[in-house]
Structure formats: C-alpha cells, structure tokens
Amino acid sequence: MVNKPGMFHETTRTLAPEDPQAAPLESAVADALAVAGGIDASDVTVTAVGSVIVLEGNVLQLEEISLATEIARSIPGVSAVDNRLTAAGLKDVITGYRH
C-alpha cells in the first residue's frame, strides 16, 4: 500500500487546528445538556468560538430550544449562546410530515 499526502486540486490539504482552549468549554456544555432533564440533546452539536457557544442540530420540541440556551448560559466561561437549533416536532406539525 502506498500512502500519498491528501491532495485537493493539486494542493495539499491542511486541517485547521482545533482550539485547545475551546474543548473544555464545549465538553462542559455538552455534558450539561446530556444530563439535563426536559431535553433530548442527542442530535445537538456544541461548538465554542472563544467564549461563545454555538448550538446546532435538532431537538424534539420547541421548548427544548430555549432550555438548551439556558443550560449553555449557566456554564462558567460562556459569554453568549448562538442557538441555531430547530425543533423536529414543530417541522412535523407545519409540514404534516411524520418520521
């Protein structure tokens, strides 16, 4: 087997380094969401951009969106929350689509 460096349009691909200081904050928020009652955070991605937490993904109910924001804000070191979550249950009601 021959291993070649990854190429993209004849240029070597580079990965942006992860922010090592963001990992503990991301973990703290993700852990808090995982153990919190009233929210299913199994489809929620937590990313820290400095001290701002970005929440992306889906929850089941509309109420879980605001709850996720409250939980993330309660973590020491979080200055703001950019909540981009969508409620799958709300989409089902609007479109009439069921999984």
Side-chain angles (χ1 to χ4, degrees):
M1 173 183 241
V2 177
N3 289 322
K4 295 174 157 183
M7 301 291 280
F8 182 74
H9 295 287
E10 304 303 320
T11 61
T12 304
R13 291 178 16 187
T14 57
L15 297 176
E18 289 187 24
D19 181 0
Q21 295 173 337
L25 192 57
E26 290 171 355
S27 293
V29 172
D31 290 347
L33 289 171
V35 299
I39 184 170
D40 178 3
S42 60
D43 192 25
V44 174
T45 302
V46 177
T47 307
V49 180
S51 62
V52 176
I53 292 295
V54 180
L55 301 174
E56 296 180 286
N58 297 303
V59 292
L60 296 176
Q61 299 180 13
L62 190 60
E63 297 81 22
E64 294 176 84
I65 294 174
S66 59
L67 180 58
T69 299
E70 291 175 32
I71 292 167
R73 280 189 185 147
S74 73
I75 303 300
V78 173
S79 64
V81 177
D82 179 1
N83 191 328
R84 301 175 187 175
L85 296 174
T86 58
L90 181 62
K91 183 172 111 179
D92 292 344
V93 170
I94 292 172
T95 64
Y97 175 74
R98 282 272 168 209
H99 303 263

